[in-house]
Amino acid sequence: MAVTPTSAPTTSRPGMFRAAVAGASGYAGGEVLRMLLNHPRIEIGALTGGSNAGTRLGELQPHLLPLADRVLEPTDAETLAGHDVVFLGLPHGQSAAVAAQLGEDVLIVDCGADFRLHDPAEWEKFYGSPHAGTWPYGLPELPGAREALKGSRRIAVPGCYPTAVTLALIPAYAAGLAEPEAVVVAASGTSGAGKAAKTHLLGSEVMGSMSPYGVGGVHRHTPEMTQNLSAVAGERVAVSFTPTLAPMSRGILATCSVKARPGTTPQRLRQAYSAAYAAEPFVHLLPEGQWPATSAVLGSNHALVQVALDESVGRITVVSAIDNLAKGTAGGAVQSMNIALGLPEELGLPQTGVAP
Amino acid sequence: MAVTPTSAPTTSRPGMFRAAVAGASGYAGGEVLRMLLNHPRIEIGALTGGSNAGTRLGELQPHLLPLADRVLEPTDAETLAGHDVVFLGLPHGQSAAVAAQLGEDVLIVDCGADFRLHDPAEWEKFYGSPHAGTWPYGLPELPGAREALKGSRRIAVPGCYPTAVTLALIPAYAAGLAEPEAVVVAASGTSGAGKAAKTHLLGSEVMGSMSPYGVGGVHRHTPEMTQNLSAVAGERVAVSFTPTLAPMSRGILATCSVKARPGTTPQRLRQAYSAAYAAEPFVHLLPEGQWPATSAVLGSNHALVQVALDESVGRITVVSAIDNLAKGTAGGAVQSMNIALGLPEELGLPQTGVAP
Amino acid sequence: MAVTPTSAPTTSRPGMFRAAVAGASGYAGGEVLRMLLNHPRIEIGALTGGSNAGTRLGELQPHLLPLADRVLEPTDAETLAGHDVVFLGLPHGQSAAVAAQLGEDVLIVDCGADFRLHDPAEWEKFYGSPHAGTWPYGLPELPGAREALKGSRRIAVPGCYPTAVTLALIPAYAAGLAEPEAVVVAASGTSGAGKAAKTHLLGSEVMGSMSPYGVGGVHRHTPEMTQNLSAVAGERVAVSFTPTLAPMSRGILATCSVKARPGTTPQRLRQAYSAAYAAEPFVHLLPEGQWPATSAVLGSNHALVQVALDESVGRITVVSAIDNLAKGTAGGAVQSMNIALGLPEELGLPQTGVAP
Amino acid sequence: MAVTPTSAPTTSRPGMFRAAVAGASGYAGGEVLRMLLNHPRIEIGALTGGSNAGTRLGELQPHLLPLADRVLEPTDAETLAGHDVVFLGLPHGQSAAVAAQLGEDVLIVDCGADFRLHDPAEWEKFYGSPHAGTWPYGLPELPGAREALKGSRRIAVPGCYPTAVTLALIPAYAAGLAEPEAVVVAASGTSGAGKAAKTHLLGSEVMGSMSPYGVGGVHRHTPEMTQNLSAVAGERVAVSFTPTLAPMSRGILATCSVKARPGTTPQRLRQAYSAAYAAEPFVHLLPEGQWPATSAVLGSNHALVQVALDESVGRITVVSAIDNLAKGTAGGAVQSMNIALGLPEELGLPQTGVAP
């Protein structure tokens, strides 16, 4: 294949939006680029990295061949200037400073946590730093969120676990079928832990092993789930959340158990889920009897959902599957970007998984 | 390596027990053999298989080199006669007929489900066939079970999920710290599904994928967990159980969530767990802050347990890890056999995992 | 997501080619559909299956959500009639009969082996049945192949291993730098073995394991490699080929070793590779020092290649990586289809891998 | 399980050898400990670590439960004094200094590379430091090695790849059936790369991926293979070696191709292999038609070997499978220790793999 330009093109073609990606060497940044490469209205501008500035992208993201010869630039205001959209895939706490340097008319899509939570106390409890603020939340399926995203120039992309869990439980809480306490056990692929080299994330350690972490309500995604589900339920929903690390690169399988409210029947339950997602382009209630597998959404922006009522114990079990990097991060980011820019919501987003 | 005999030796040496394994070509049978090969008081007698009768074990279980040249015999009374111990690794429903043909003084260790449940109605509801009876239950850690096993000539080996879940929750229920409703999500390696060729268990399907199955209270291990936990709690414990298939060959990680009873504190909780397992040779409460990983017990007979109280939601989370084929099947079987035969309980059982 | 039609649309839109896929329930058929769903000039017509006729595609290929509600039809002439293109993903030996029933103006793209070999004796030696004939070979990078594909109405898609190995060695043989004996060891993901349920392909068996098969020149892809490399070299190239099964679903890594001819230098070698693939859209010679990984091409139609001369032993080592289902089967098929139909060669084909 | 002592016992029981392990936090050190825990004549003394000194072993090697409460000590002469055997699992270049501080009557078993090579020039070429010397080589199957190990107080444990490759090719070269040029492609599990945190070894990077490294004769195990095979052949054997990283934690599958000398027949070849290994306790020639899989030797000290002659191209293909940490490192180390100490060679070594 012939070589590609080493620097970003500096002019936009008509009808195109020019997008920069800060943190292009990480897993979130790489997946944003994979999505943008297939987006018909996006032109890829500056790519920046921290310690990787100066490195060819082909060394860091060898799967993104069309950008292989691009060289990462430093993450600074000068580099990020002149774009219509800037995606931030930065460590927690760094987004606010970068955003402050960009204009108010630039669409900033933050894949980090900084602007997700409403409650400063919750932020400070879980992140230990001052709260930076709250931006429109990039989960269009959450009631009210799609409207807030329209025309917005700031987007807080949800966490991967909150995406999977919120999509699993919206219909049950919106229809008033569940008590306000959710027990969630979710398995995630290792890419959710990022690309920094850590011993416990070595292939030797994770292959053939399942392990929990952040047990007992201490995982930072817990307040985000609580915020989302409480908003839907109209009352505070307590969330007992246990994340587990699974021996796979991608995917989240979220198993959610809630006590059914009196009067809940299998028919009412199914009807609530069917109605809630009939018009959603990226959430798919499976036919009865078929349960989600993460392999079916690898690389895809879809969420798969299935629900059952266990009448012997009076509990509802909902399972959802997403690709943590796609619908759980970069796909959700691009879907929200489309809404913010007034583009068709599905534009450029992968509709199929890569399986087997 | 020099060749080994093709048929079983026909005489026992003094002080040795002679053991046959019916179903030696399957995963449970293979793991029983791996354990017995390291057992100083066991001499391995007849090995039988169904459709594999006549085949060298080396073709079917190439990891059991010392038995590579043994040839499988048919599973019938004649072949199984003349042994002190007979392990049954047969499909559900076949154990009763085989057991009826063996003498009452032969120790029969059934790795199948036939004799686990007390309640014939529960059996018939979940298995759809007449109840064969109930044998002493091969989970020595369950209150009363060790005593029932002593000198017994019949053992019903527990299911792999019930082993993991019961060990996780015994201390909480025994100490009266938990409400009688347990939400359990467990991830299992694929060997738990057996060695029969099925499309959904192909490597291509399971690698890189997490998926649930038997959701909504329909998995056959549910009544067994209910039976165990209810016996410990002294009241009926409702169990909401969701098994998931993980991309690994071995291991169960069981995540259990129960509502804490009033007055439960982290200290009381830890004390209950610490006391319950201080003297157990094969259940290990990890130091605070360290959580179980299935890789740490691969090939080992140990169960690892950790517990936390999430005070913000008033729930206890317990996670246990076992090797489904070892402590979850064959190791539990040999441990119970040791008790039944009056041997030291730890004899011949693997004390270390194989990691990484 | 709203439901999709259960049967194929029966009329074509202007400028669109209507394509049927026979064997849509298998891995090759599924990957062809994944490619076609993203192809702007293809309309997906009939989908057929053998024993799976009558089943929803969503049950068999849950990752292909846009086609989830399509129902498989039987593989017969009536169903396959009325299409511009018919992809065949059938067991070896069945393609000729199906092809005979379709018109000569229909483009038939056979993903099976039936029409790959020129030499009837080689076919009969390796496949044990009469030779059905030879069709234009769907590896456009092979000298002369692209021209033969133009306007053709028959395409024999290469085997996955021959694709990887031929692309690795074309430049060395075309430039006369290598002796006519190639030693090839290739690792393949399990999807290369298909979707039929077999014990040795169970996840429990393949995870954590590498194993060889078809050793000693007996693998059916050997004569195809020999045919290709001999055509490039202008003399018979002997191929010693050992395939191995790797614990991953997709991907082929082919390691090829050939003796360097006198006068071969690192510079001449690199120049030969660089020149051979400078204009190829789907073969990418990596920068010096970077070696291919299969993860970089998962889901992509690209082949990655790197070469080194080990002067201490006088041998050239070339490594190539492809996705066995993409460039190795379905991607190669669609690329060749594009050429045959006079479309841009890259149209609709995935340019990026899905990583990590 | 009850707690274990936090420091090493300071007195030896009669008939026991007391062994220290330097580098007990690494993969090699952990596997040595797993072996020693099952060794009836070894008492485990001091355990040392570099940056991990002061840490409980249970945090670092959670699978070694019987040693969980041991605390790592610093790697210095004082700590290592007073042992009969000292295993060194240290980074390359550190063993000589440690060894110099221990007495000449202490058996030092070096799992590193420092004392493997005879030729100082080869050492310096591949390792870039002065040659420390040569110790008796811990591969008892190599002609002459077993005798040299008897009574020795120094052992250089072979590299994992050289173990697999040498065992694969000894019979062919010893019998004069092969030309002196070997092409070797070997796949290794990731534990061979050690426990240091590196990005390219993250689970996210290695799962689902095969990749080569050290291509073109630059891997440090190449001169060791050359040394071994040349010694057997009686002439210099050129080795073209390509290692690949496979998505599994453990195991090496070595595929070796050599040109057959005139007169080589399948019968002579098989006879050579059969005779060479008939009396070896840990090398097993599989029955004809059965090929090695790494899963069959996981955790075991056995090597599995199979050989075929491809008469159409006149080449011999040999495949061997070992566990890189067991026979490839710690098992080979303990086997050699047994010989050096005059113990039965098989004592305490695992005879079975853990599968599936």
Side-chain angles (χ1 to χ4, degrees), chain B residues 101-124:
Chain B
Q101 297 179 293
L102 300 171
E104 292 197 353
D105 55 338
V106 177
L107 174 54
I108 304 180
V109 186
D110 185 16
C111 296
D114 297 20
F115 298 95
R116 292 173 188 161
L117 296 185
H118 292 287
D119 182 349
E122 285 285 73
W123 173 270
E124 284 162 28

